[in-house]
Amino acid sequence: GNTAVRPRIHLASTMAGMAFTQAGLGLCHAIAHALGGAFHLPHGRLNAMLLPAVIECNAHAAADRYARIAVAAGLGGSAETMAVRNLKNALVRLRRELHLPDTLAQAGISPAAVRSRTKELVDAVLADPCCATNPMKVEDFMVRRVLGVVAGHG
């Protein structure tokens, strides 16, 4: 591989660890933990798949924060809702540029497999400590909505 990039990756990883230790994680990581445990997919790939749907879910409580992130990334819009939409769309574009799957179906997990384990997945997500630092209280219907979005269609 490219050894010149390793020190930068290590630094970025350390910075990310410091950031989430301070801020906490949330629904995205909780669902990624549950799906990774159930279907043995890489954690980062799952987070990339989940993040736009989770932003949509959390926007009711955190639109201002998402809009600030969008502005900082040069993706701002004329209104907060536009900035949030621009952020979600940019994340989807980035995922595609990196040739990452958009859905679990694209990652080789059938929607039927997700459906058959939905209760187990929802229970695991709701029990995950990452939910405690989500911008809004994580509820069953939110987890089911995000799982429905990322399951994809066979």
Side-chain angles (χ1 to χ4, degrees):
N2 182 351
T3 55
V5 79
R6 283 187 186 160
R8 292 170 60 201
I9 294 293
H10 287 296
L11 179 59
S13 176
T14 299
M15 291 168 70
M18 291 168 69
F20 71 65
T21 298
Q22 290 300 309
L25 296 169
L27 181 58
C28 191
H29 278 269
I31 297 176
H33 291 151
L35 289 170
F39 299 115
H40 311 289
L41 293 170
H43 187 65
R45 184 166 299 189
L46 286 165
N47 278 297
M49 208 179 291
L50 292 161
L51 191 54
V54 170
I55 287 173
E56 178 80 30
C57 223
N58 279 335
H60 305 287
D64 57 328
R65 288 184 264 175
Y66 290 136
R68 284 202 310 270
I69 292 168
V71 168
L75 305 165
S78 56
E80 205 171 72
T81 53
M82 292 295 290
V84 174
R85 192 179 77 193
N86 292 345
L87 178 63
K88 286 186 319 197
N89 291 340
L91 289 167
V92 170
R93 280 194 308 276
L94 178 61
R95 186 173 62 205
R96 289 184 179 153
E97 284 169 23
L98 296 173
H99 306 289
L100 294 170
D102 286 327
T103 63
L104 290 165
Q106 289 175 11
I109 309 301
S110 75
V114 178
R115 267 193 308 277
S116 72
R117 297 181 76 175
T118 296
K119 186 188 180 332
E120 165 197 339
L121 292 165
V122 170
D123 289 347
V125 171
L126 294 175
D128 193 300
C130 288
C131 287
T133 45
N134 194 63
M136 60 194 287
K137 183 180 185 318
V138 175
E139 298 188 53
D140 182 289
F141 77 92
M142 294 164 64
V143 180
R144 289 175 184 277
R145 182 184 305 152
V146 173
L147 286 174
V149 170
V150 300
H153 304 291

